[in-house]
Amino acid sequence: MKEAIKHYWDYTLKEEARAKKTLRFLNIDICSTRYCHPVWETGTDPLQSYMATVKAMLLVDRYPLTGLKCAGKKQLELCPHCKREPENLQHFLLYCPLYNNQRTKYLSTLQEQLPHINLNNMCDDDKVKVILDPSHFALTDEDLESAERTTRRMCFSLHNTRAKEDGTGPRYGWVSRRVRGMGVQSKHVKQVKASIQLQSHSKAPASADEVL
């Protein structure tokens, strides 16, 4: 009976997830009510939890990009950093020239970790899937762990650069308002806040690498 109930809720979860366009990059096949998605497998490190929150918000289309469609918007806004096209997920992760250095660095590492795929030959949607949920393509648990770590750092690095370009500094405020509903303990976010504030009094980190 217990197994039947678990199977029912797993099935219901997956069917409802497949109906949502905002979850189009999520590997729904591995979703379960019994364990965490790999994006949340961060251990107890508060910084890793914070980085996972940033990546999770990108994964479920809740990161505040200016080019996302939302209620009340009559037209999509151009990227505020390059003015070339709307700032959607594909533009932010793959094309905006503001992040070229970080993008080249992390995608090169990711290609080495997943040698059975060719990022250069992938369509944009598949590239976004590799970045936001590498479980689509990882063959082993070790591949997935290393790819998840790399893509988490990539997303956090782009997030930091975007925040600095906007002149807002490390943008942990909007993340902390949402973490309770996404599975991150609030005490972890408070620890990250304190760390960031301490660094801001001395020297703002130039990239995610200096924070890690």
Side-chain angles (χ1 to χ4, degrees):
M1 177 64 73
K2 288 183 179 179
E3 284 303 312
I5 292 173
K6 290 177 182 178
H7 177 76
Y8 168 80
W9 284 114
D10 278 352
Y11 176 81
T12 301
L13 170 70
K14 292 176 182 179
E15 289 304 299
E16 290 184 359
R18 287 191 177 96
K20 297 186 180 297
K21 292 182 179 179
T22 55
L23 301 181
R24 63 192 181 281
F25 298 118
L26 178 70
N27 185 0
I28 294 171
D29 290 335
I30 68 168
C31 290
S32 173
T33 58
R34 308 178 212 189
Y35 46 79
C36 289
H37 187 278
V39 74
W40 287 122
E41 292 179 0
T42 62
T44 59
D45 187 319
L47 180 56
Q48 291 295 321
S49 296
Y50 177 74
M51 291 163 60
T53 303
V54 172
K55 184 181 176 184
M57 293 188 71
L58 287 164
L59 179 59
V60 299
D61 248 2
R62 288 297 179 266
Y63 189 89
L65 299 172
T66 61
L68 293 180
K69 292 182 179 179
C70 62
K73 270 194 179 181
K74 295 183 178 179
Q75 59 183 11
L76 300 182
E77 298 178 20
L78 291 178
C79 173
H81 309 298
C82 69
K83 309 294 185 184
R84 294 183 180 180
E85 56 187 7
E87 190 192 32
N88 55 24
L89 277 174
Q90 287 83 352
H91 177 76
F92 176 65
L93 294 173
L94 303 176
Y95 293 114
C96 185
L98 177 65
Y99 316 108
N100 279 345
N101 291 337
Q102 295 108 307
R103 187 180 296 119
T104 299
K105 171 186 173 181
Y106 288 107
L107 290 184
S108 295
T109 302
L110 186 61
Q111 180 64 80
E112 293 174 3
Q113 293 168 338
L114 301 174
H116 57 282
I117 66 172
N118 189 334
L119 288 170
N120 293 327
N121 292 338
M122 283 184 166
C123 66
D124 287 352
D125 279 356
D126 281 347
K127 287 180 183 177
V128 172
K129 282 182 180 180
V130 176
I131 296 169
L132 296 183
D133 191 353
S135 66
H136 284 286
F137 302 94
L139 295 179
T140 67
D141 290 342
E142 286 149 359
D143 285 347
L144 177 56
E145 183 179 353
S146 58
E148 186 62 49
R149 186 166 54 249
T150 296
T151 54
R152 189 182 298 142
R153 288 176 176 174
M154 176 182 172
C155 292
F156 186 64
S157 179
L158 269 58
H159 160 76
N160 261 359
T161 299
R162 184 179 185 271
K164 290 170 191 171
E165 188 69 17
D166 290 342
T168 58
R171 296 176 63 185
Y172 52 76
W174 58 266
V175 173
S176 63
R177 287 193 296 271
R178 292 166 173 80
V179 291
R180 182 168 297 179
M182 301 181 73
V184 177
Q185 294 183 16
S186 58
K187 65 178 181 179
H188 286 173
V189 178
K190 289 179 181 177
Q191 291 171 7
V192 175
K193 282 186 180 182
S195 175
I196 292 174
Q197 288 169 341
L198 182 62
Q199 292 171 11
S200 67
H201 287 302
S202 54
K203 174 191 161 195
S207 68
D209 298 328
E210 292 186 26
V211 179
L212 299 177

